[in-house]
DNA sequence: CTGCGTGTGTTTCCTGGCGCACCGACGGTA
DNA sequence: TACCGTCGGTGCGCCAGGAAACACACGCAG
């Protein structure tokens, strides 16, 4: 968790802020390095910081009483971690697991509350982001129920690729299986099918996206819907 | 949609408000009667009013690009319809379908915005409710994926019973099937199992809950988790 | 070179739920 | 009373995915 040299923010949400608010916000941020496998928040744990991933990304995982786990969304440089603070609560229902190591900006929860109170632009922006999250959550419920492993895997790879800003991912079948809530063997089959169609290549945990366009076709419509929603609500609607 | 005689609010959220705020809020509400099957909001439609169900209740349904549909949550006298307004957006990603006919209070979106701006208590309360919703959405995603029809049906009946304030529900198997995103025959089997265990009785669309305690045991833990969450965040944490 | 850990391919058997279709039973209406 | 629409029970073939193994293959460390 060593501090990194401060560098221009490449978090998309922060980039959307007016210069004033953004500058003031950034001076109170600390640059940290998220390491793979780190758990940033536990269900019912207290939120200590908000995080704005830069090149890193984090899975948000729902956990049922029976210990079943399912990834419900992903946060990278397009988002923020610690949304319940917007709602005035300092607990998170979801486990946040660092899935792509890399730099992030973070701010203590208390400071964040102050900035939020002082910057209407920040408030408006993060409310919009919260709307996107809610939309995604309800969509994920239906997607997970109706769509098959292969399409869901394709979608998941695309989302990961977007957040990793790279064609090259490091993910074992076993890890993918727990994220999608299916068996490892199920991932093997789906991954082989995608590889046979020339959409991806993988070897001992190294996955390369070969043909992004056709991978989008192989994924369920939920990926495209997600992208459209974000663009409409944040990128275009986010005139703050 | 004829106006009803104004009567004391029995919406739990409104009951949580301080007397002042509540009185002022109620004077701007209109009493309406929700009729079974009415669609209050469509995905991408504009939110015209917020609704506070009294004895009525409404299903919120996610719809994917492929037309697959799944109920993701339910709003009765414990909640409110039109939450995106809290986030500054006047669109809803979900279809709202009246499932239990009955009275509700409603307020035009614009008026609601004003009340919201003037009442910090209202804001705080509804933010908490929004947190509960988000938690539920992520839980539903996992529940729908991992739990079997019988447990999900039991859960669903319990949730409906709570919101209908009655042991007696009118629901055909076909309707339940679309809500849970399964076949009608699947509901028949699950319902027969619950009936054989003496938990419910049904006959041509009339369902009676006979043994609520054991029905809770038959349901997945998600029902109890939902109740606990609401109690903790709204009933107890909601000192506004 | 050997050995072990990790990651992946593959097999067998099993089950929950799907799609589809048919039929019987009930209850309101003519 | 006869009819018909709605509701629910059932049967059939089918398939995706679950559970649990086993086998292989690569790559690093000793």
């Amino acid at each position: 968790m060593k501090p990194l040299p401060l560098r221009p923010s490449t978090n998309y949400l922060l980039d959307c802020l007016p210069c004033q608010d953004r500058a003031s916000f950034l001076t109170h941020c600390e640059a940290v390095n998220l390491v793979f496998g780190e758990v940033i928040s536990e269900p019912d744990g207290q939120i200590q910081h908000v995080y704005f991933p830069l090149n890193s990304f984090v899975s948000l995982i729902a956990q049922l009483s029976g210990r079943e786990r399912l990834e419900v969304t992903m946060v990278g440089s397009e988002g923020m971690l610690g949304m319940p603070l917007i709602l005035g609560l300092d607990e998170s229902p979801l486990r946040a697991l660092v899935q792509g190591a890399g730099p992030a900006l973070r701010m203590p929860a208390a400071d964040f509350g102050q900035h939020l109170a002082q910057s209407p632009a920040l408030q408006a922006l993060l409310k919009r982001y919260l709307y996107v999250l809610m939309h995604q959550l309800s969509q994920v419920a239906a997607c997970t129920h109706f769509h098959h492993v292969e399409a869901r895997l394709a979608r998941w790879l695309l989302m990961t690729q977007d957040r990793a800003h790279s064609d090259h991912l490091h993910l074992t079948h076993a890890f993918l299986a727990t994220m999608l809530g299916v068996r490892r063997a199920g991932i093997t089959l789906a991954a082989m099918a995608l590889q046979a169609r020339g959409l991806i290549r993988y070897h001992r945990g190294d996955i390369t996206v070969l043909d992004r366009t056709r991978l989008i076709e192989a994924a369920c419509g939920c990926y495209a819907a997600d992208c459209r929603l974000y663009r409409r609500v944040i990128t275009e609607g986010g005139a703050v």
Side-chain angles (χ1 to χ4, degrees), chain A residues 25-219:
Chain A
F25 195 90
L26 284 177
T27 57
H28 292 82
C29 280
E30 174 191 9
V32 294
N33 213 7
L34 302 182
V35 298
F36 178 82
E38 185 182 351
V39 173
I40 292 183
S41 80
E42 288 280 3
D44 302 325
Q46 214 183 354
I47 299 180
Q48 308 285 355
H49 300 86
V50 295
Y51 289 80
F52 293 85
L54 302 179
N55 254 307
S56 49
F57 56 107
V58 176
S59 285
L60 294 185
I61 297 164
Q63 179 170 344
L64 299 180
S65 44
R67 302 294 149 207
E68 301 99 335
R69 288 180 185 179
L70 181 71
E71 196 223 46
V72 288
T73 190
M74 216 183 269
V75 176
S77 61
E78 90 299 340
M80 152 187 161
L81 229 76
M83 292 306 287
L85 292 177
I86 311 269
L87 301 176
L89 285 114
D90 65 349
E91 64 174 52
S92 163
L94 301 171
R95 155 181 296 238
L97 177 70
V98 175
Q99 215 232 89
L105 299 174
R106 81 172 186 191
M107 184 186 281
D111 295 0
F112 177 71
Q114 290 198 356
H115 276 89
L116 202 59
Q118 286 160 15
S119 166
L122 183 65
Q123 263 185 52
L125 179 67
L126 294 182
K127 281 184 185 168
R128 283 173 178 273
Y129 177 60
L130 188 51
Y131 177 80
V132 171
L133 273 186
M134 290 201 61
H135 193 146
Q136 274 184 8
L137 288 180
S138 44
Q139 182 184 273
V140 160
C143 171
T144 306
H145 184 61
F146 289 112
H147 296 155
H148 290 185
V149 175
E150 189 174 325
R152 289 176 56 212
L153 175 61
R155 177 188 181 206
W156 201 91
L157 291 175
L158 288 164
M159 291 180 59
T160 308
Q161 191 195 8
D162 292 343
R163 286 160 181 79
H165 307 289
S166 158
D167 291 351
H168 197 82
L169 315 169
H170 190 80
L171 306 156
T172 68
H173 289 189
F175 179 79
L176 290 166
T178 64
M179 288 300 105
L180 298 189
V182 299
R183 278 177 321 146
R184 204 253 315 148
I187 297 292
T188 300
L189 290 180
M192 280 194 302
L194 294 178
Q195 182 161 31
R197 291 160 68 186
L199 311 184
I200 63 171
R201 181 170 7 98
Y202 63 93
H203 175 67
R204 292 186 75 71
D206 290 315
I207 301 191
T208 309
V209 174
L210 296 179
D211 189 337
R212 186 176 161 81
T213 311
R214 284 171 57 222
L215 192 55
I216 292 176
E217 289 164 19

